[in-house]
Structure formats: structure tokens, C-alpha cells
Amino acid sequence: MSLTVRVIAPDKTVWDSAAEEVILPSITGQLGILTGHAPLLSALDVGVMRVRPGKDWVAIALMGGFVEVENNEVIVLVNGAERGDTIDRNEARAALATAQAGLEKSAQSEDKQERYEAQRDFKRARADCKLQAKWCKFKTLHGLLTTLSLAKAGLRFF
């Protein structure tokens, strides 16, 4: 028996097929789903979802959303999603550099909306980057955002 997995974004269905295992980026950490999983409804963070339809894994960048699991059916509703094999490495690298610069600039801003948008853009670019390149060796998103938050609060750490 396998899972039926659907990943649905507003503009397209990114995945609609059977899978043996799914790993999702929930807001509380990684969430693994196998057949027979208990019913579940959870919020998803921006990050990389992994689906294993057979022996190999397929990576999908998610832009936040929700997952519902019931009766071996996994429905993922997201703000945006893209399969890893469709992301261009050079575009991902450029987007990450731009987003990181925007994030650093926004840390000095008093505008909450600007900071939120910069964080969202950075998370999205980093998720795309994770799918494509080993060169993406930046600090974890949590570590960077914590660093920026502490710096904004005037705290220093070593």
C-alpha cells in the first residue's frame, strides 16, 4: 500500500502521484509521513519537501501552506511550489544573493512589512538554492534570522 500525494499551488498541481514516503517542512520541524499515518493537519514553512515514489527521492520547494493527512492521502496546499529539477542553478544563485542583500538591508529598517517581505524572499530563494547546489553553504535560516534579530535589538554575541 502507498500514499496518494498531491501538491497543489494556486497556479498548478506540482505533484499528483503515489509515493512510499513524504518528508515535509512543518513550522515545528521536519515531518515524516508513511502509510498508515494518523490523521493530521499541520502548517508548513517555506522549505524543501521530499517525496519518495520508489527508490529515488524527488525534491519540491514549498512556499508555505498546509498539509492534511488522512486515509493514506496526503494533500499539500501551498502558496507556491516548484520541483527541484525545474530550477535553474544560476538563477537560484542570483536570487539568493539578491535576497540575502535585501534581508541584511531590511534589518536596519523600521518598516515591519519590508522586513517580513525580505525574510520571505530569503526563505524562498534559499529553498530553491537547497534543491540545486552544494555551494549553498550559508548559515541555517534560523541562525541568520536570529543573528539579525539580535543585532536589531542591539545585542551582541560571540
Side-chain angles (χ1 to χ4, degrees), residues 51-98:
V51 180
R52 186 173 59 85
K55 285 190 340 183
D56 297 324
W57 288 89
V58 175
I60 302 171
L62 302 181
M63 304 309 141
F66 296 92
V67 62
E68 179 184 25
V69 178
E70 189 170 20
N71 297 326
N72 290 325
E73 185 174 22
V74 179
I75 300 174
V76 180
L77 301 174
V78 291
N79 298 323
E82 194 168 356
R83 285 183 56 151
D85 54 6
T86 65
I87 297 172
D88 179 81
R89 178 178 291 204
N90 293 329
E91 287 179 20
R93 184 185 316 188
L96 183 61
T98 301

